[in-house]
Amino acid sequence: MWQQQELKLAPRSRGFHLITDEIVDALPGLSHCAVGLLHLQLLHTSASLTLNENADPDVRHDLDAFLRERIPGDLPYFRHTLEGPDDMPAHVCASLLGTQLSLAVRKGRLALGTWQGIWLGEHREHGGSRRLLMTLNGDG
Amino acid sequence: MWQQQELKLAPRSRGFHLITDEIVDALPGLSHCAVGLLHLQLLHTSASLTLNENADPDVRHDLDAFLRERIPGDLPYFRHTLEGPDDMPAHVCASLLGTQLSLAVRKGRLALGTWQGIWLGEHREHGGSRRLLMTLNGDG
Amino acid sequence: MWQQQELKLAPRSRGFHLITDEIVDALPGLSHCAVGLLHLQLLHTSASLTLNENADPDVRHDLDAFLRERIPGDLPYFRHTLEGPDDMPAHVCASLLGTQLSLAVRKGRLALGTWQGIWLGEHREHGGSRRLLMTLNGDG
């Protein structure tokens, strides 16, 4: 069984956002999948996808604060600066965190750990809406 | 062909640990798979999975030393600090290194390069045992 | 449908290189795949694969410059130094960026975003040619 669909994520502020529920709600086929994999791919180069803590929002704050401090926009050797000081750091974050994830499906649900959630990393100040391509493959 | 099973990894000290053999030994179905993919997902947010050098243990030491130095636990803007100074750095490592991997299977074996091995990154001082979900999909 | 083949990438200079076209040209089966996933795995531990900007080459320059500055080879705690000052930083980059990618396939093409391309990260000064294993799985 293959299913593929695109999800349009509403614009979000710079930082990390929990999007597990939004993804699951957009996947009615998931409940019919006994075992499989869900592949997620952001179609952008200045945002990211990662698995991390689904409870305390401070974890999302802290990772964003760490990346902002450690990947500033005004490094003297940066050349790709025309689109603003948040642009090149966003490209760095996209590659360090990644823009695609594969997640196990078990008994009709994402097989996430108790504390795992799917995070969207919005690394631009005004990134706008983001396109997420979801590809589900599994046994019915 | 789909196979899915959970592997319980024994508690390990903070740092990187080679777990290729433990994974292969737990997958009898692998030898019947002519071509496919093995998906590995840690069900945790303070440990990681990565592919790296399977020979010299100094590489595992050096990556851990680098991460400890560059991601300290006492950064002034960290808020998620109640669980100790190793907790927030562990969340950062989980997202930078990742908690899931997809590996090619060829002729009944993991198609790793000569020097590639699967590393578990244990980023807590006392992380305890870790759950690894393994999903194998392929042609017999 | 499963297809698996190895692509030998010609030696490249240290830095990031756009290899989307080289991959697509080596995959005649791609055009027959209505929906699926392409898995890419470098069989090395000192190079990387990542998705990022396919247009302005300055983005490739800047990410490489950032990694060179932030991951130097002469850190006092590095032990794996016999193969030269570019070796341990290359191992760090391989784990931070990753050596495997899964990419969505849609209507016979890689479903990349407008600005997304596949980058090879060559993190050694003289890495030589690199082996890339490609595994395509999908519906015809």
Side-chain angles (χ1 to χ4, degrees):
Chain A
M1 176 193 71
W2 285 92
Q3 288 187 7
Q4 192 171 61
Q5 64 195 92
E6 207 174 297
L7 181 63
K8 188 174 178 177
L9 299 167
R12 263 130 171 141
S13 58
R14 188 172 173 182
F16 290 98
H17 304 272
L18 202 54
I19 58 170
T20 316
D21 290 349
E22 192 169 344
I23 288 170
V24 169
D25 290 348
L27 285 169
L30 189 63
S31 61
H32 305 295
C33 181
V35 54
L37 290 171
L38 174 65
H39 176 263
L40 302 173
Q41 184 178 330
L42 276 177
L43 302 181
H44 304 273
T45 60
S46 55
S48 66
L49 286 178
T50 190
L51 281 182
N52 216 310
E53 157 106 18
N54 61 13
D56 183 0
D58 284 347
V59 183
R60 300 198 289 278
H61 164 274
D62 289 0
L63 181 56
D64 184 51
F66 176 80
L67 295 169
R68 286 179 190 233
E69 187 211 28
R70 298 298 164 106
I71 312 171
D74 58 354
L75 293 170
Y77 46 79
F78 275 176
R79 299 174 181 169
H80 183 78
T81 53
L82 269 182
E83 293 175 52
D86 59 327
D87 189 39
M88 194 55 222
H91 285 294
V92 175
C93 288
S95 278
L96 289 181
L97 298 165
T99 50
Q100 44 89 55
L101 275 179
S102 292
L103 303 175
V105 176
R106 182 169 53 179
K107 297 179 184 172
R109 307 180 62 167
L110 289 182
L112 298 173
T114 308
W115 303 102
Q116 282 183 315
I118 306 168
W119 291 11
L120 170 71
E122 173 55 73
H123 303 299
R124 298 299 309 266
E125 293 294 343
H126 304 284
S129 77
R130 299 294 194 171
R131 295 166 59 200
L132 178 68
L133 187 59
M134 309 190 289
T135 305
L136 178 64
N137 179 28
D139 251 5
Chain B
M1 175 192 72
W2 286 92
Q3 287 188 7
Q4 192 171 61
Q5 64 195 94
E6 206 173 298
L7 181 63
K8 188 174 178 175
L9 299 167
R12 264 131 170 139
S13 59
R14 187 173 173 183
F16 290 98
H17 305 272
L18 202 54
I19 59 169
T20 316
D21 289 349
E22 194 169 343
I23 287 169
V24 169
D25 289 349
L27 285 169
L30 189 63
S31 61
H32 305 296
C33 180
V35 55
L37 291 170
L38 174 65
H39 177 262
L40 303 173
Q41 184 177 332
L42 277 177
L43 302 182
H44 304 273
T45 60
S46 55
S48 65
L49 287 178
T50 190
L51 281 182
N52 216 310
E53 157 106 19
N54 61 13
D56 184 0
D58 283 347
V59 183
R60 300 199 288 278
H61 165 275
D62 290 0
L63 181 56
D64 183 52
F66 176 80
L67 295 170
R68 286 179 190 235
E69 188 211 25
R70 298 297 164 109
I71 313 172
D74 58 355
L75 293 170
Y77 47 78
F78 275 177
R79 299 175 180 169
H80 183 78
T81 53
L82 268 182
E83 293 175 52
D86 59 327
D87 189 38
M88 195 54 222
H91 286 294
V92 175
C93 288
S95 278
L96 289 181
L97 297 165
T99 51
Q100 43 88 55
L101 275 180
S102 293
L103 303 175
V105 176
R106 181 169 52 180
K107 297 179 184 171
R109 306 179 65 166
L110 289 181
L112 297 173
T114 309
W115 303 103
Q116 282 183 314
I118 305 168
W119 289 13
L120 170 70
E122 175 54 74
H123 303 298
R124 298 299 309 265
E125 293 294 343
H126 305 284
S129 78
R130 299 295 193 172
R131 297 166 59 201
L132 178 68
L133 187 58
M134 309 189 290
T135 305
L136 178 63
N137 179 29
D139 250 6
Chain C
M1 175 192 74
W2 286 92
Q3 287 188 7
Q4 193 171 61
Q5 64 195 93
E6 206 173 298
L7 181 63
K8 188 174 178 176
L9 299 167
R12 263 129 172 142
S13 59
R14 187 172 173 184
F16 291 98
H17 306 271
L18 202 55
I19 59 169
T20 315
D21 289 347
E22 193 169 344
I23 288 170
V24 169
D25 289 348
L27 285 170
L30 189 63
S31 60
H32 305 296
C33 181
V35 55
L37 290 170
L38 174 65
H39 177 262
L40 301 174
Q41 184 177 332
L42 276 177
L43 302 181
H44 304 272
T45 60
S46 55
S48 65
L49 286 178
T50 189
L51 280 182
N52 216 310
E53 156 106 19
N54 61 12
D56 183 0
D58 284 346
V59 183
R60 301 198 290 277
H61 165 274
D62 290 359
L63 181 57
D64 184 52
F66 176 80
L67 295 169
R68 285 179 190 234
E69 187 211 27
R70 298 297 164 108
I71 313 171
D74 59 354
L75 293 169
Y77 46 79
F78 275 176
R79 298 173 181 171
H80 183 78
T81 53
L82 268 182
E83 292 175 53
D86 59 327
D87 189 39
M88 194 54 221
H91 285 294
V92 175
C93 288
S95 278
L96 289 181
L97 297 165
T99 51
Q100 43 90 55
L101 275 180
S102 292
L103 303 175
V105 176
R106 181 169 53 179
K107 297 180 184 171
R109 306 178 65 167
L110 290 182
L112 298 173
T114 309
W115 303 102
Q116 282 183 314
I118 306 168
W119 290 13
L120 169 72
E122 174 55 74
H123 303 297
R124 298 299 309 265
E125 293 293 343
H126 304 284
S129 76
R130 299 294 194 172
R131 295 166 59 201
L132 177 68
L133 188 58
M134 309 188 291
T135 305
L136 178 64
N137 179 29
D139 251 6

